[in-house]
Structures are given as structure tokens and as C-alpha cells.
Amino acid sequence: QVQLVESGGGLVQAGDSLRLTCVGSGRTFKDYGLGWFRQAPGKEREFVAAIRRSDDTQFYSDFVQGRFTISRNIPEATVFLQMNNLKPEDTAVYYCAADLFGIGSSDFRDYEHWGQGTQVTVSS
């Protein structure tokens, strides 16, 4: 079992940057693949980025490629999402998730553990 707590969201202007942090507790982070998802009002939860357990290979959705970076610090049980050049369409609640299978899936159904989410709002 692992518990996840996100932080770092906020209200920013288009073009600004934010860094989201997700701290895990419980079972060690190295056992999990880790992902970030987001959900805007009235929309389905969508994949943002993931990092594979075995070799830290990163995966990104097309709409954040080149702007967002996922990384993790295993000893500190932390996963980050660095978001640059934010756009109004990035406005959503952002969730981190952990997957014991560890492949860095883009399918939210593959993730067993979720944080409570952090709100990111980007004004134009």
C-alpha cells in the first residue's frame, strides 16, 4: 500500500511555470511506476506523463510533450511534474498515481493508488 499527497498547484498566467510534487508514504517508491493525470470540469481524466519503474523511461501525452517533465527521487519517495509554458487549456486538477505493475501506463485503470489532487489554473 502507498499513500500519495500532491502539492504545488496554483493560479498562474499563460506562459508561466509550476512544479507539482507528489510525496509517497508506505511501500517504497521504487516498487511502482508513477504517473500524472489531470481532469478538467466536465471532462474525463486524461494521461499527462508517466515514468517506468525499471529504468525511469518517461512517457508523455502529445499535448504536453516538450513542455512538461516527469522525474522522481526514490530515496525521498517523491515524484515531480515540472510544467513550463503553461496554457489555459492546462487548467485542471492534477493527480499523481502509482502502479505496481510499473510499466508507465497511460491508462488510468492500470493505477491502483491515487492522491487527492491539486488544482492548476492558468489564466490567459
Side-chain angles (χ1 to χ4, degrees), residues 85-105:
N85 190 23
L86 283 161
K87 304 176 180 180
E89 52 264 43
D90 294 320
T91 294
V93 177
Y94 283 72
Y95 299 90
C96 71
D99 156 40
L100 191 57
F101 200 62
I103 63 171
S105 173

Side-chain angles (χ1 to χ4, degrees), residues 13-76:
Q13 294 185 332
D16 286 351
S17 298
L18 278 175
R19 190 192 199 200
L20 304 184
T21 299
C22 177
V23 179
S25 61
R27 190 165 178 166
T28 180
F29 245 32
K30 69 177 180 65
D31 293 334
Y32 290 88
L34 300 164
W36 285 95
F37 291 77
R38 69 187 187 186
Q39 189 165 18
K43 295 187 177 181
E44 293 186 350
R45 189 166 298 193
E46 63 181 358
F47 170 72
V48 176
I51 191 164
R52 190 158 62 192
R53 176 182 64 188
S54 59
D55 60 4
D56 277 11
T57 297
Q58 301 160 25
F59 304 93
Y60 297 96
S61 64
D62 289 343
F63 53 76
V64 303
Q65 185 76 39
R67 298 189 298 127
F68 292 9
T69 303
I70 186 172
S71 60
R72 65 173 177 169
N73 184 318
I74 294 175
E76 295 186 1

